[in-house]
mmCIF file with all atom_site columns, all heavy atoms in Angstrom:
data_model
loop_
_atom_site.group_PDB
_atom_site.id
_atom_site.type_symbol
_atom_site.label_atom_id
_atom_site.label_alt_id
_atom_site.label_comp_id
_atom_site.label_asym_id
_atom_site.label_entity_id
_atom_site.label_seq_id
_atom_site.pdbx_PDB_ins_code
_atom_site.Cartn_x
_atom_site.Cartn_y
_atom_site.Cartn_z
_atom_site.occupancy
_atom_site.B_iso_or_equiv
_atom_site.pdbx_formal_charge
_atom_site.auth_seq_id
_atom_site.auth_comp_id
_atom_site.auth_asym_id
_atom_site.auth_atom_id
_atom_site.pdbx_PDB_model_num
ATOM 1  N N   . ASP J 1 73 ? 144.635 -62.115 96.334  1.00 0.00 ? 77 ASP J N   1
ATOM 2  C CA  . ASP J 1 73 ? 145.814 -62.697 95.677  1.00 0.00 ? 77 ASP J CA  1
ATOM 3  C C   . ASP J 1 73 ? 146.709 -63.443 96.657  1.00 0.00 ? 77 ASP J C   1
ATOM 4  O O   . ASP J 1 73 ? 147.201 -64.532 96.354  1.00 0.00 ? 77 ASP J O   1
ATOM 5  C CB  . ASP J 1 73 ? 146.635 -61.596 94.988  1.00 0.00 ? 77 ASP J CB  1
ATOM 6  C CG  . ASP J 1 73 ? 146.288 -61.469 93.517  1.00 0.00 ? 77 ASP J CG  1
ATOM 7  O OD1 . ASP J 1 73 ? 145.089 -61.392 93.193  1.00 0.00 ? 77 ASP J OD1 1
ATOM 8  O OD2 . ASP J 1 73 ? 147.201 -61.466 92.690  1.00 0.00 ? 77 ASP J OD2 1
ATOM 9  N N   . SER J 1 74 ? 146.918 -62.865 97.828  1.00 0.00 ? 78 SER J N   1
ATOM 10 C CA  . SER J 1 74 ? 147.840 -63.462 98.796  1.00 0.00 ? 78 SER J CA  1
ATOM 11 C C   . SER J 1 74 ? 147.298 -64.758 99.391  1.00 0.00 ? 78 SER J C   1
ATOM 12 O O   . SER J 1 74 ? 148.046 -65.521 99.999  1.00 0.00 ? 78 SER J O   1
ATOM 13 C CB  . SER J 1 74 ? 148.134 -62.475 99.926  1.00 0.00 ? 78 SER J CB  1
ATOM 14 O OG  . SER J 1 74 ? 146.968 -62.199 100.677 1.00 0.00 ? 78 SER J OG  1
ATOM 15 N N   . GLU J 1 75 ? 145.994 -65.023 99.194  1.00 0.00 ? 79 GLU J N   1
ATOM 16 C CA  . GLU J 1 75 ? 145.369 -66.223 99.773  1.00 0.00 ? 79 GLU J CA  1
ATOM 17 C C   . GLU J 1 75 ? 145.282 -67.387 98.803  1.00 0.00 ? 79 GLU J C   1
ATOM 18 O O   . GLU J 1 75 ? 145.052 -68.529 99.214  1.00 0.00 ? 79 GLU J O   1
ATOM 19 C CB  . GLU J 1 75 ? 143.947 -65.899 100.248 1.00 0.00 ? 79 GLU J CB  1
ATOM 20 C CG  . GLU J 1 75 ? 143.870 -64.860 101.342 1.00 0.00 ? 79 GLU J CG  1
ATOM 21 C CD  . GLU J 1 75 ? 142.451 -64.381 101.589 1.00 0.00 ? 79 GLU J CD  1
ATOM 22 O OE1 . GLU J 1 75 ? 141.668 -64.308 100.616 1.00 0.00 ? 79 GLU J OE1 1
ATOM 23 O OE2 . GLU J 1 75 ? 142.133 -64.084 102.752 1.00 0.00 ? 79 GLU J OE2 1
ATOM 24 N N   . MET J 1 76 ? 145.444 -67.107 97.513  1.00 0.00 ? 80 MET J N   1
ATOM 25 C CA  . MET J 1 76 ? 145.104 -68.115 96.505  1.00 0.00 ? 80 MET J CA  1
ATOM 26 C C   . MET J 1 76 ? 145.912 -69.401 96.656  1.00 0.00 ? 80 MET J C   1
ATOM 27 O O   . MET J 1 76 ? 145.371 -70.516 96.523  1.00 0.00 ? 80 MET J O   1
ATOM 28 C CB  . MET J 1 76 ? 145.288 -67.537 95.104  1.00 0.00 ? 80 MET J CB  1
ATOM 29 C CG  . MET J 1 76 ? 144.718 -68.392 93.993  1.00 0.00 ? 80 MET J CG  1
ATOM 30 S SD  . MET J 1 76 ? 142.904 -68.562 94.059  1.00 0.00 ? 80 MET J SD  1
ATOM 31 C CE  . MET J 1 76 ? 142.391 -66.991 93.373  1.00 0.00 ? 80 MET J CE  1
ATOM 32 N N   . GLU J 1 77 ? 147.182 -69.277 96.960  1.00 0.00 ? 81 GLU J N   1
ATOM 33 C CA  . GLU J 1 77 ? 148.009 -70.469 97.105  1.00 0.00 ? 81 GLU J CA  1
ATOM 34 C C   . GLU J 1 77 ? 147.526 -71.326 98.281  1.00 0.00 ? 81 GLU J C   1
ATOM 35 O O   . GLU J 1 77 ? 147.463 -72.560 98.186  1.00 0.00 ? 81 GLU J O   1
ATOM 36 C CB  . GLU J 1 77 ? 149.472 -70.060 97.310  1.00 0.00 ? 81 GLU J CB  1
ATOM 37 C CG  . GLU J 1 77 ? 150.455 -71.152 96.987  1.00 0.00 ? 81 GLU J CG  1
ATOM 38 C CD  . GLU J 1 77 ? 151.890 -70.646 96.895  1.00 0.00 ? 81 GLU J CD  1
ATOM 39 O OE1 . GLU J 1 77 ? 152.107 -69.435 96.693  1.00 0.00 ? 81 GLU J OE1 1
ATOM 40 O OE2 . GLU J 1 77 ? 152.790 -71.496 97.040  1.00 0.00 ? 81 GLU J OE2 1
ATOM 41 N N   . ASP J 1 78 ? 147.157 -70.672 99.386  1.00 0.00 ? 82 ASP J N   1
ATOM 42 C CA  . ASP J 1 78 ? 146.651 -71.411 100.548 1.00 0.00 ? 82 ASP J CA  1
ATOM 43 C C   . ASP J 1 78 ? 145.317 -72.080 100.239 1.00 0.00 ? 82 ASP J C   1
ATOM 44 O O   . ASP J 1 78 ? 145.041 -73.197 100.697 1.00 0.00 ? 82 ASP J O   1
ATOM 45 C CB  . ASP J 1 78 ? 146.479 -70.461 101.743 1.00 0.00 ? 82 ASP J CB  1
ATOM 46 C CG  . ASP J 1 78 ? 147.800 -70.020 102.331 1.00 0.00 ? 82 ASP J CG  1
ATOM 47 O OD1 . ASP J 1 78 ? 148.808 -70.709 102.109 1.00 0.00 ? 82 ASP J OD1 1
ATOM 48 O OD2 . ASP J 1 78 ? 147.832 -68.970 102.993 1.00 0.00 ? 82 ASP J OD2 1
ATOM 49 N N   . VAL J 1 79 ? 144.475 -71.392 99.463  1.00 0.00 ? 83 VAL J N   1
ATOM 50 C CA  . VAL J 1 79 ? 143.185 -71.993 99.103  1.00 0.00 ? 83 VAL J CA  1
ATOM 51 C C   . VAL J 1 79 ? 143.398 -73.248 98.272  1.00 0.00 ? 83 VAL J C   1
ATOM 52 O O   . VAL J 1 79 ? 142.734 -74.267 98.483  1.00 0.00 ? 83 VAL J O   1
ATOM 53 C CB  . VAL J 1 79 ? 142.294 -70.988 98.325  1.00 0.00 ? 83 VAL J CB  1
ATOM 54 C CG1 . VAL J 1 79 ? 140.954 -71.621 97.999  1.00 0.00 ? 83 VAL J CG1 1
ATOM 55 C CG2 . VAL J 1 79 ? 142.081 -69.721 99.108  1.00 0.00 ? 83 VAL J CG2 1
ATOM 56 N N   . ILE J 1 80 ? 144.340 -73.192 97.334  1.00 0.00 ? 84 ILE J N   1
ATOM 57 C CA  . ILE J 1 80 ? 144.594 -74.355 96.483  1.00 0.00 ? 84 ILE J CA  1
ATOM 58 C C   . ILE J 1 80 ? 145.146 -75.520 97.300  1.00 0.00 ? 84 ILE J C   1
ATOM 59 O O   . ILE J 1 80 ? 144.796 -76.688 97.072  1.00 0.00 ? 84 ILE J O   1
ATOM 60 C CB  . ILE J 1 80 ? 145.532 -73.982 95.315  1.00 0.00 ? 84 ILE J CB  1
ATOM 61 C CG1 . ILE J 1 80 ? 144.782 -73.043 94.349  1.00 0.00 ? 84 ILE J CG1 1
ATOM 62 C CG2 . ILE J 1 80 ? 146.015 -75.202 94.566  1.00 0.00 ? 84 ILE J CG2 1
ATOM 63 C CD1 . ILE J 1 80 ? 143.480 -73.612 93.792  1.00 0.00 ? 84 ILE J CD1 1
ATOM 64 N N   . ASP J 1 81 ? 145.980 -75.232 98.295  1.00 0.00 ? 85 ASP J N   1
ATOM 65 C CA  . ASP J 1 81 ? 146.444 -76.298 99.200  1.00 0.00 ? 85 ASP J CA  1
ATOM 66 C C   . ASP J 1 81 ? 145.261 -76.917 99.953  1.00 0.00 ? 85 ASP J C   1
ATOM 67 O O   . ASP J 1 81 ? 145.206 -78.133 100.169 1.00 0.00 ? 85 ASP J O   1
ATOM 68 C CB  . ASP J 1 81 ? 147.448 -75.735 100.210 1.00 0.00 ? 85 ASP J CB  1
ATOM 69 C CG  . ASP J 1 81 ? 148.812 -75.461 99.587  1.00 0.00 ? 85 ASP J CG  1
ATOM 70 O OD1 . ASP J 1 81 ? 149.098 -76.011 98.504  1.00 0.00 ? 85 ASP J OD1 1
ATOM 71 O OD2 . ASP J 1 81 ? 149.578 -74.683 100.181 1.00 0.00 ? 85 ASP J OD2 1
ATOM 72 N N   . TYR J 1 82 ? 144.336 -76.076 100.360 1.00 0.00 ? 86 TYR J N   1
ATOM 73 C CA  . TYR J 1 82 ? 143.126 -76.537 101.053 1.00 0.00 ? 86 TYR J CA  1
ATOM 74 C C   . TYR J 1 82 ? 142.278 -77.407 100.126 1.00 0.00 ? 86 TYR J C   1
ATOM 75 O O   . TYR J 1 82 ? 141.792 -78.477 100.525 1.00 0.00 ? 86 TYR J O   1
ATOM 76 C CB  . TYR J 1 82 ? 142.354 -75.315 101.533 1.00 0.00 ? 86 TYR J CB  1
ATOM 77 C CG  . TYR J 1 82 ? 140.989 -75.578 102.125 1.00 0.00 ? 86 TYR J CG  1
ATOM 78 C CD1 . TYR J 1 82 ? 140.828 -76.424 103.215 1.00 0.00 ? 86 TYR J CD1 1
ATOM 79 C CD2 . TYR J 1 82 ? 139.863 -74.935 101.612 1.00 0.00 ? 86 TYR J CD2 1
ATOM 80 C CE1 . TYR J 1 82 ? 139.578 -76.642 103.766 1.00 0.00 ? 86 TYR J CE1 1
ATOM 81 C CE2 . TYR J 1 82 ? 138.615 -75.140 102.156 1.00 0.00 ? 86 TYR J CE2 1
ATOM 82 C CZ  . TYR J 1 82 ? 138.473 -75.993 103.232 1.00 0.00 ? 86 TYR J CZ  1
ATOM 83 O OH  . TYR J 1 82 ? 137.227 -76.203 103.778 1.00 0.00 ? 86 TYR J OH  1
#
Side-chain angles (χ1 to χ4, degrees):
D77 264 49
S78 65
E79 298 169 326
M80 191 65 78
E81 201 167 339
D82 288 339
V83 182
I84 291 303
D85 285 342
Y86 173 58

